[in-house]
């Protein structure tokens, strides 16, 4: 209560730099305040912020204000229901801003708003129309962020869509899987992947048969790439819908076909999709299919250093999703190849392989997993691993702070 008037005055009447700093300051206050304590001030906070977004200010002011509104929505979203029409209009307008950072923040803010929206169809329809109308221009960057906003909105609220809106959206997204622009194609694939969590069974069966699990080698590589993103993200966001007994063989076959592709972008999606699938098996204490494990691990022998890095990073992702009770087949398949990775000339492959082994063997948490691994490997592999541990892995494991990792899902725009 005593602090808010200071920031409110600066937001309404300060110069642009003061407005930006006041919005950042307000974000800190909101973060440190309980939802209960925020209640009496919601109107006093939201009103000035919405007014600022309606005026012509520089991109950095808009970014600060959108961040603050997103945070406020995440903490007291239901209390902002009276502002929904204004907020919706403001965020959609910001999605058309000329600056990418503003568009991305608007996409995030819209994904927060839609969770408290009682009628989501108008939002999805506006996004759908914006994506279709951007097809008439060559502004790939604008369409890219529109698709990103759609993806972020489908994730929490796909179940709120009416049947007719969902079918129209699905048809449009499917038509964009072969776009010539790499980023737009990837974002469209991600939209289809998250949509799989909310599709009725008959529609999901159709999408899986015609797109996710149809790896026709005769189609253009761009369409195969879009489909490979869709399968990978569906395994992340809708694994409970996709991983069923009658589909597993087909999923593995499709992922392996992607891993064997001659296009690095498709190979990487095959590897990351495999990581999501392997993770689900381990979460359920089941042994992943050997055929998939072998194809995944062989990525460490690929001619592309980017692919080798992806396998190492994916192994770290799998390791951090598990308590370390790995089946012995996982040690036998992955560890010797990762040890080879630590001897690579390329520094990024080498470093990622080292960090993958530290995470996979849980070396920061004692020797339990390491001992299980050593008993599973043959004598030659044991010797190589021990040598690697003594030379580098012990030093890495002894570091107090783990290296900051990038978001594993690189189909999210940043």
């Amino acid at each position: 209560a005593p602090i808010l008037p200071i920031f409110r005055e600066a937001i309404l009447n300060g110069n642009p730099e003061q407005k930006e700093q006041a919005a950042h300051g307000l974000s800190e206050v909101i973060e440190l305040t309980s939802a209960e304590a925020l209640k009496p001030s919601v109107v006093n906070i939201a009103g000035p912020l919405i007014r600022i977004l309606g005026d012509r200010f520089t991109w950095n002011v808009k970014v600060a204000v959108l961040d603050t509104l997103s945070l406020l929505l995440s903490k007291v979203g239901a209390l902002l229901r009276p502002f929904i029409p204004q907020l919706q209009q403001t965020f959609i307008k910001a999605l058309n801003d000329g600056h990418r950072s503003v568009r991305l923040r608007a996409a995030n803010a819209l994904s927060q708003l839609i969770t408290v929206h009682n009628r989501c169809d108008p939002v999805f329809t506006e996004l759908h129309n914006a994506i279709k109308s951007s097809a008439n221009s060559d502004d790939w960057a604008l369409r890219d962020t529109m698709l990103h906003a759609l993806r972020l909105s489908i994730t929490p609220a796909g179940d709120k869509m009416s049947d007719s809106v969902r079918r129209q959206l699905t048809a449009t997204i499917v038509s964009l899987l072969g776009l010539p622009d790499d980023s737009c194609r990837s974002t469209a694939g991600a939209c289809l992947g998250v949509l799989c969590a909310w599709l009725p069974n008959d529609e999901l069966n159709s999408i899986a048969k015609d797109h996710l699990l149809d790896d026709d080698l005769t189609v253009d590589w761009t369409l195969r790439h879009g489909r490979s993103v869709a399968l990978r993200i569906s395994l992340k966001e809708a694994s409970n819908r996709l991983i069923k007994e009658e589909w597993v063989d087909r999923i593995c076959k499709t992922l392996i076909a992607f891993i064997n592709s001659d296009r690095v972008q498709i190979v990487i999606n095959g590897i990351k999709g495999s990581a999501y699938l392997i993770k689900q098996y381990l979460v359920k204490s089941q042994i992943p299919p050997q055929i998939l494990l072998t194809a995944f691990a062989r990525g460490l022998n690929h001619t592309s250093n980017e692919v080798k890095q992806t396998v190492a990073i994916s192994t770290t992702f799998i390791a951090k999703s598990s308590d370390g009770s790995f089946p012995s087949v996982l040690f036998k398949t992955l560890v010797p190849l990762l040890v080879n990775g630590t001897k690579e000339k390329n520094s990024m492959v080498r470093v990622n392989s080292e960090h993958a082994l530290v995470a996979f063997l849980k070396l920061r948490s004692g020797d339990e997993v390491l001992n299980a691994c050593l008993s599973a490997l043959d004598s030659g592999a044991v010797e190589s691993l021990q040598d690697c541990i003594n030379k580098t892995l012990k030093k890495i494991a002894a570091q107090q702070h783990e290296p900051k990792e990038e978001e594993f899902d690189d189909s999210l725009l940043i």
Side-chain angles (χ1 to χ4, degrees):
I3 297 170
L4 180 59
I6 302 167
F7 289 132
R8 180 184 161 87
E9 175 65 23
I11 286 169
L12 288 172
N13 300 314
N15 62 38
E17 189 182 347
Q18 288 167 341
K19 289 179 192 293
E20 182 189 357
Q21 292 306 320
H24 287 313
L26 199 49
S27 275
E28 289 189 38
V29 174
I30 292 168
E31 193 145 355
L32 295 166
T33 308
S34 69
E36 190 62 34
L38 278 169
K39 273 185 186 178
S41 305
V42 167
V43 174
N44 276 332
I45 296 171
L49 292 172
I50 293 170
R51 196 181 313 172
I52 289 295
L53 279 177
D55 291 336
R56 292 185 176 183
F57 285 105
T58 53
W59 67 270
N60 46 323
V61 174
K62 292 177 184 176
V63 162
V65 171
L66 285 164
D67 279 343
T68 309
L69 281 169
S70 292
L71 184 59
L72 190 62
L73 277 162
S74 70
K75 289 201 86 161
V76 291
L79 298 177
L80 287 166
R81 284 211 172 101
F83 291 97
I84 280 178
Q86 289 166 279
L87 288 169
Q88 183 179 321
Q89 186 182 4
T90 303
F91 295 160
I92 295 284
K93 183 184 173 187
L95 271 176
N96 288 284
D97 194 89
H99 202 283
R100 178 182 168 86
S101 295
V102 175
R103 298 199 302 274
L104 289 177
R105 295 317 204 287
N108 184 55
L110 201 58
S111 73
Q112 298 291 345
L113 178 70
I114 207 161
T115 58
V116 294
H117 212 307
N118 290 326
R119 291 179 60 250
C120 291
D121 273 3
V123 179
F124 285 118
T125 301
E126 278 208 66
L127 284 172
H128 187 203
N129 291 337
I131 289 163
K132 283 198 296 184
S133 64
S134 67
N136 301 323
S137 73
D138 290 330
D139 193 344
W140 292 107
L142 183 63
R143 196 195 300 193
D144 198 17
T145 41
M146 286 289 179
L147 283 164
H148 179 66
L150 179 60
R151 181 227 175 122
L152 293 187
S153 297
I154 291 171
T155 302
D159 57 333
K160 295 182 181 181
M161 265 188 271
S162 66
D163 290 349
S164 61
V165 168
R166 188 190 62 249
R167 287 195 192 102
Q168 288 169 24
L169 258 180
T170 306
T172 297
I173 292 167
V174 163
S175 73
L176 302 176
L177 292 179
L179 284 171
D181 181 79
D182 287 357
S183 187
C184 278
R185 185 171 63 246
S186 181
T187 317
C191 280
L192 185 60
V194 297
L195 196 56
C196 287
W198 308 116
L199 293 175
N201 286 332
D202 57 335
E203 288 178 34
L204 179 62
N205 290 343
S206 176
I207 288 293
K209 178 171 169 284
D210 296 339
H211 301 285
L212 302 183
L213 305 177
D214 174 28
D215 191 45
D216 182 352
L217 297 176
T218 62
V219 302
D220 190 81
W221 80 268
T222 54
L223 180 55
R224 285 189 78 211
H225 177 248
R227 288 173 172 175
S228 69
V229 177
L231 177 58
R232 163 186 149 194
I233 300 303
S234 65
L235 287 168
K236 176 194 176 188
E237 302 285 355
S239 59
N240 60 322
R241 303 285 313 282
L242 242 74
I243 305 172
K244 40 192 183 182
E245 201 173 331
E246 61 269 33
W247 283 5
V248 164
D249 286 348
R250 185 74 201 174
I251 292 171
C252 288
K253 187 180 173 186
T254 308
L255 288 169
I256 292 166
F258 290 147
I259 291 172
N260 292 330
S261 168
D262 58 354
R263 294 276 180 171
V264 167
Q265 300 103 306
I266 297 175
V267 177
I268 286 171
N269 285 323
I271 286 166
K272 289 199 168 187
S274 300
Y276 286 125
L277 184 56
I278 291 165
K279 173 194 164 183
Q280 289 303 322
Y281 272 93
L282 296 177
V283 164
K284 295 172 186 173
S285 301
Q286 296 172 347
I287 299 174
Q290 178 64 58
I291 190 171
L292 185 69
L293 280 177
T294 303
F296 173 81
R298 276 190 189 146
L300 284 158
N301 292 331
H302 201 275
T303 53
S304 162
N305 287 326
E306 193 180 353
V307 170
K308 291 175 187 174
Q309 276 177 246
T310 302
V311 178
I313 291 165
S314 299
T315 304
T316 302
F317 167 77
I318 293 166
K320 294 198 169 179
S321 309
S322 168
D323 60 4
S325 53
F326 300 116
S328 61
V329 65
L330 217 60
F331 293 128
K332 289 176 184 173
T333 308
L334 273 173
V335 171
L337 286 166
L338 283 168
V339 170
N340 288 342
T342 66
K343 300 168 187 171
E344 286 271 347
K345 287 180 183 175
N346 182 279
S347 61
M348 291 305 292
V349 175
R350 201 166 58 244
V351 167
N352 280 304
S353 296
E354 288 165 355
H355 286 294
L357 281 167
V358 170
F360 192 56
L361 300 173
K362 307 284 180 190
L363 294 181
R364 288 189 171 94
S365 311
D367 295 336
E368 190 181 340
V369 179
L370 172 61
N371 291 332
C373 176
L374 292 171
S375 64
L377 299 177
D378 61 40
S379 57
V382 166
E383 198 175 319
S384 295
L385 176 57
Q386 290 280 25
D387 188 45
C388 182
I389 288 170
N390 293 332
K391 277 184 179 173
T392 56
L393 301 189
K394 274 184 181 174
K395 290 176 198 167
I396 295 169
Q399 291 168 1
Q400 280 189 315
H401 301 293
E402 293 186 45
K404 188 175 180 239
E405 289 177 47
E406 290 182 15
E407 170 65 54
F408 185 64
D409 180 4
D410 58 1
S411 68
L412 287 162
L413 301 185
I414 52 173

